[in-house]
Amino acid sequence: MPQHSNDNSSSHSSSSRHSSSDNSRETRTALVVVAHHRSDSLTAHTARRAAARLEAAGYRIDWLDLHAEGFDPRMNAQDQPDWGNREKPYSDETHAHMRRILDADAVVAVFPVYWQSVPAVLKGWIDRVWNYGFAYGRSKPRLAGKRMLWLALAGATSDDPFADSMQSVLETNLSDGIAYYCGFSRSTVGLLLDAEERPQRIDAEGNLLVGEAVAGAEREAQYADFDRRAQKHVDEFLADGLAAA
């Protein structure tokens, strides 16, 4: 699991959420969704840096740490979609998360890549919250015009022959299969490779090859480069938003 504890980034808490009743706001809001069980992980570090970058660009941050907030990713009877009723009243928890998505102009999800997909807690959040009648199933999508950035951390190295296919799979599943299907105007997948201290790749025979852990100056250089690449994805996302406006 990628880790990075040498982090001086400022943290964001749920106190940074804005009131859903503030419909006259001029400040744009970014919902930053973190899907990792450890607050000292590289995923959390990357999310904090992304939030700081967005905040510096004028966004109000709604910080959603799915594990810290105790979100239950398991589908239940109350939140099971009713294909015959777009107005179905889902659970209070789900409606609270729906409100946070509606209040956001941009959604940024930060997560480690599991099996070329998202972790269960993030998949469950999408399953339960991005529900029929809310995120899809209407002639005019309720999420139309919003923008989405997926920051996906992967242990594969940049020269791994599977890296391109991983990018393609994530874009198909996350952008085409979820964001655009739900009416988002823009969805971008930023695949962040080389997230592990020990480089790993799969050889032609399917064997996992794990290298020696980087340390000292080499480690610092690796993660400085990682931070630069992550920041580039956020900056491009911000620039794209300005161009669209």
Side-chain angles (χ1 to χ4, degrees), residues 32-35 42-51 53-54 107-113 117-119 122 148-154 167 170 174-175 187-193 195 226-237:
V32 179
V33 185
V34 190
L42 181 58
T43 298
H45 164 82
T46 302
R48 286 191 291 268
R49 286 179 57 87
R53 199 72 175 173
L54 289 160
V107 180
V108 179
V110 191
F111 59 93
V113 176
S117 186
V118 299
L122 180 54
M148 183 89 202
L149 174 61
W150 312 83
L151 290 177
L153 287 72
Q167 177 78 41
L170 291 172
L174 304 180
S175 290
S187 178
T188 302
V189 176
L191 178 59
L192 295 166
L193 302 166
F226 183 94
D227 285 345
R228 282 192 294 270
R229 287 185 283 119
Q231 181 176 309
K232 181 180 178 182
H233 284 300
V234 176
D235 288 348
E236 289 175 348
F237 182 73

Side-chain angles (χ1 to χ4, degrees), residues 66-122:
L66 292 171
H67 282 278
E69 293 196 17
F71 180 79
D72 186 351
R74 297 172 298 177
M75 180 57 75
N76 56 61
Q78 192 173 2
D79 290 329
Q80 183 176 349
D82 182 349
W83 309 114
N85 181 14
R86 292 185 302 188
E87 309 303 329
K88 175 181 175 177
Y90 295 108
S91 68
D92 290 343
E93 181 182 32
T94 288
H95 276 293
H97 282 267
M98 288 176 175
R99 182 73 259 167
R100 293 170 76 171
I101 296 173
L102 286 176
D103 286 348
D105 301 281
V107 180
V108 179
V110 191
F111 59 93
V113 176
Y114 289 174
W115 299 106
Q116 299 205 45
S117 186
V118 299
V121 70
L122 180 54

Side-chain angles (χ1 to χ4, degrees), residues 7-201:
D7 170 21
N8 294 320
S9 303
S10 61
S11 62
H12 296 262
S13 68
S14 59
S15 63
S16 62
R17 296 179 204 161
H18 65 285
S19 170
S20 60
S21 63
D22 183 12
N23 296 320
S24 63
R25 75 190 189 283
E26 295 181 1
T27 303
R28 294 166 297 173
T29 297
L31 176 61
V32 179
V33 185
V34 190
H36 199 287
H37 52 281
R38 288 178 48 191
S39 61
D40 66 344
S41 65
L42 181 58
T43 298
H45 164 82
T46 302
R48 286 191 291 268
R49 286 179 57 87
R53 199 72 175 173
L54 289 160
E55 194 168 43
Y59 278 85
R60 181 176 296 154
I61 303 301
D62 181 357
W63 180 262
L64 171 54
D65 185 326
L66 292 171
H67 282 278
E69 293 196 17
F71 180 79
D72 186 351
R74 297 172 298 177
M75 180 57 75
N76 56 61
Q78 192 173 2
D79 290 329
Q80 183 176 349
D82 182 349
W83 309 114
N85 181 14
R86 292 185 302 188
E87 309 303 329
K88 175 181 175 177
Y90 295 108
S91 68
D92 290 343
E93 181 182 32
T94 288
H95 276 293
H97 282 267
M98 288 176 175
R99 182 73 259 167
R100 293 170 76 171
I101 296 173
L102 286 176
D103 286 348
D105 301 281
V107 180
V108 179
V110 191
F111 59 93
V113 176
Y114 289 174
W115 299 106
Q116 299 205 45
S117 186
V118 299
V121 70
L122 180 54
K123 179 59 165 61
W125 182 69
I126 294 168
D127 289 343
R128 286 187 61 200
V129 180
W130 298 42
N131 220 321
Y132 178 70
F134 169 69
Y136 65 98
R138 296 180 182 274
S139 57
K140 183 178 180 180
R142 299 182 69 184
L143 307 184
K146 298 183 185 296
R147 299 187 307 120
M148 183 89 202
L149 174 61
W150 312 83
L151 290 177
L153 287 72
T157 57
S158 56
D159 60 349
D160 192 314
F162 288 98
D164 288 342
S165 66
M166 186 184 299
Q167 177 78 41
S168 178
V169 167
L170 291 172
E171 288 178 349
T172 299
N173 290 342
L174 304 180
S175 290
D176 296 338
I178 298 176
Y180 289 138
Y181 186 75
C182 294
F184 277 70
S185 63
R186 180 71 173 174
S187 178
T188 302
V189 176
L191 178 59
L192 295 166
L193 302 166
D194 295 301
E196 294 283 1
E197 294 180 347
R198 295 167 62 94
Q200 48 185 263
R201 59 179 298 168

